[in-house]
Amino acid sequence: MTKPFSQACENNKLPILNVLKVAFARSQQVLEVGSGTGQHAVFMAQNLPHLSWQPSDQGIYLEGIEQWCSEYEGDNLLAPIPLDVTEYPWPIKRVDGVFSANTLHIMSWSMVEAFFRGVRKVLPCGGVCCVYGPFNYEGSFTSPSNQQFDHWLRQRDPESGIRDFEAVDQLAREAGMFLVQDYEMPANNRLLQWQMLDLE
Ligand SMILES: C[S@@+](CC[C@H](N)C(=O)[O-])C[C@H]1O[C@@H](n2cnc3c(N)ncnc32)[C@H](O)[C@@H]1O
């Protein structure tokens, strides 16, 4: 199998890292959901050495992620695990951070709901959840290119599409989190950072 490659990952990895440096400053173990090629996993592990990074994805992606991971020489990148957000329990007990990039617009809405239900189970109080990708606000696209992208996504899979920030934030609240920061990112993307509420 040829090693998978995403140019988009190369373009967005540095801006994402700059946010994650702050968001995960006090975290130790991060679960990445939907690692895709594995490029983000290797880059984040390399540049956030205080973290233990756990890549995951649906089974068919694992071989490609393994190829990227096998070239990494550090010891803070774990072998990728199979994780479909709809299949409970997730094959991981506890982490204090969750990261996912460009996944919520690929998943159906019921999968997005499953993602937040799963996050609720693996993130303890104070845990941080960061999601990167395009979002709509107050029912509107933030750019013509996002509108075209949404049209393309829905032609390919009618259940996919750019999500409304407000609806996603509602799911995060129902999962026990509050929005810490909504970062503006290049190319009309956002990085949303939530934190699990402390119960005390
Ligand atoms: C556009 S790719 C993004 C990959 C990578 N995170 C990136 O930014 O390049 C979408 C990812 O969502 C994952 N995905 C879709 N449905 C999923 C599900 N039900 N459970 C877990 N991952 C899922 C896909 O397997 C794929 O890796």
Side-chain angles (χ1 to χ4, degrees), residues 6 8-10 12 16 32-40 56-61 65 82-87 90 99-108 111-112 114-115 132 149 153 156:
S6 155
C9 277
E10 291 305 303
N12 62 31
I16 293 176
E32 181 183 9
V33 174
S35 297
T37 60
Q39 282 161 269
H40 281 150
S56 78
D57 209 321
Q58 303 178 97
I60 48 161
Y61 288 82
I65 301 169
L83 191 158
D84 183 312
V85 294
T86 62
E87 291 171 13
W90 286 6
F99 169 70
S100 197
N102 289 316
T103 50
L104 302 192
H105 59 274
I106 300 295
M107 296 177 183
S108 64
M111 289 177 195
V112 177
F115 169 79
Y132 169 88
F149 182 46
L153 284 167
R156 198 172 134 265

